[in-house]
Amino acid sequence: MAGESSLPAVEFALAEAARSGGRVRAVHGWELMPFWSATPGWLPPDTDADDQASRIEADLTRTLAPVHAAHPEVELLVEARLGGAAGGLLSATEHADLVVLGRHPHLLGHSLGPVAHAAIRNSPAPVILVPQP
């Protein structure tokens, strides 16, 4: 899950967990990427993956706090996983009962984004796509 664009999917997941007595694990898959700096050019990625993951998880926890407040009885676990969006998500689905993803509005036709496509093809759990506004 990625920040504010995933709020509808997280809202759906929290409501479903409230009904079923489950918990929600919000996963943000990410990669170590170099970045551009105007002075020296391309800089190598920050290799302190634990520090980066902690910052991502803290940001995501703050972003999801308003939707979590609607279902405080549901345990919400926030997790940042290396491996990119699809890889991070799929590594987290091994013990999932349900996978909930947001679907971008420009993909509401017959095509799926790469993360949704990977989840539908490879997730051991059922996948629900929640339209995003």
Side-chain angles (χ1 to χ4, degrees):
M1 316 225 100
E4 291 180 10
S5 66
S6 299
L7 290 179
V10 174
E11 288 173 325
F12 180 93
L14 287 166
E16 182 61 28
R19 282 189 290 277
S20 67
R23 64 182 180 170
V24 172
R25 183 166 38 160
V27 177
H28 177 89
W30 64 286
E31 297 181 76
L32 290 171
M33 300 290 292
F35 62 93
W36 178 258
S37 173
T39 309
W42 285 102
L43 297 174
D46 176 0
T47 56
D48 188 346
D50 292 336
D51 180 56
Q52 280 189 300
S54 293
R55 285 183 287 167
I56 292 168
E57 289 170 355
D59 288 345
L60 192 54
T61 298
R62 278 190 299 277
T63 301
L64 299 179
V67 295
H68 186 219
H71 297 285
E73 73 282 9
V74 176
E75 181 181 5
L76 175 62
L77 308 167
V78 175
E79 199 174 310
R81 287 182 173 238
L82 272 170
L89 171 72
L90 290 174
S91 69
T93 64
E94 184 179 347
H95 300 291
D97 294 324
L98 181 66
V99 175
V100 180
L101 298 173
R103 185 163 185 196
H104 296 287
H106 65 280
L107 297 175
L108 288 178
H110 294 289
S111 63
L112 295 174
V115 176
H117 190 294
I120 290 169
R121 290 193 58 160
N122 300 301
S123 173
V127 177
I128 292 180
L129 300 176
V130 177
Q132 298 175 351

